[in-house]
Amino acid sequence: MAEHRSMQRGALLDAARSLLSEGGTEALTFPALAERTGLARSSVYEYFRSRAAVVEELCAVDFPVWAAEIEAAMSEAQEPEAKIEAYVRSQLGLVGDKRHRAVVAISASELDAGAREKIRAAHGSLIAMIVEALAALGQAEPRLSAMLLQGVVDAAVRRIEAGAEEDPVIVTDAAVAMALRGVGG
């Protein structure tokens, strides 16, 4: 029984990822989750008490996987510049991934304080990964620089997600150049 419940919970989370990546948080409704999974709407409530609860669980499940992929890419790089490039490229490389689109949709939405706090903590762990590399490059304010760098990454994510006229490779290369050389070109 526990295994069956775990499978249904997993199916609900996967349906939530699809709904979020297709239509943002407005698309994430209990009737839509029920329809996608073939469960009765009342059954969805047995697993999650609210939309925010679904979002919180997605954050708890997907953010660590996402962060681990970024961390793995960074750990292969030796020099601080290469670590920063890996940080930017690995995040932008995940843009087409359904989990990533779900996380982006979640991050952009109006959520209760608990869900927002989980998202902030997850973003904080991403930023913490890059602080050391920025300090090694001689940044006087590595944490501030990390937050600004993440802002560049977030802007590039939005540009790619929006289907900008530039190829995602061009957006990614521009974000890497911005991260490594600032506006100096």
Side-chain angles (χ1 to χ4, degrees):
M1 184 68 192
E3 190 175 316
H4 178 68
R5 282 190 66 80
S6 171
M7 281 174 58
Q8 286 193 325
R9 190 176 202 89
L12 283 165
L13 288 175
D14 204 49
R17 284 181 195 101
S18 294
L19 289 165
L20 283 164
S21 68
E22 291 160 19
T25 44
E26 299 76 42
L28 179 60
T29 65
F30 278 32
L33 283 171
E35 189 182 321
R36 286 281 168 107
T37 55
L39 292 169
R41 195 183 312 183
S42 58
S43 297
V44 177
Y45 284 98
E46 288 175 31
Y47 292 92
F48 299 104
R49 66 187 185 284
S50 66
R51 250 170 33 140
V54 177
V55 164
E56 284 186 39
E57 182 133 347
L58 276 177
C59 288
V61 171
D62 290 353
F63 255 112
V65 174
W66 193 28
E69 289 175 33
I70 295 162
E71 204 160 14
M74 287 176 66
S75 70
E76 289 175 22
Q78 302 305 311
E79 298 303 313
E81 288 94 342
K83 285 187 184 298
I84 291 165
E85 181 166 351
Y87 178 81
V88 174
R89 286 192 186 281
S90 59
Q91 284 190 68
L92 297 178
L94 291 168
V95 170
D97 185 297
K98 184 166 64 173
R99 285 169 316 161
H100 179 276
R101 281 203 304 272
V103 165
V104 169
I106 289 166
S107 298
S109 69
E110 293 301 311
L111 296 166
D112 69 25
R116 274 200 312 272
E117 189 47 50
K118 281 198 169 51
I119 291 166
R120 242 194 313 279
H123 275 287
S125 68
L126 271 186
I127 287 167
M129 283 184 214
I130 201 68
V131 169
E132 193 180 322
L134 289 164
L137 280 177
Q139 283 288 332
E141 297 280 349
R143 182 146 177 77
L144 173 60
S145 296
M147 288 183 215
L148 296 173
L149 171 58
Q150 187 59 45
V152 168
V153 173
D154 293 344
V157 165
R158 284 192 301 277
R159 189 89 187 142
I160 294 169
E161 287 277 337
E165 65 267 13
E166 307 91 0
D167 187 276
V169 173
I170 291 170
V171 177
T172 300
D173 289 346
V176 168
M178 181 71 75
L180 294 177
R181 293 187 291 285
V183 293

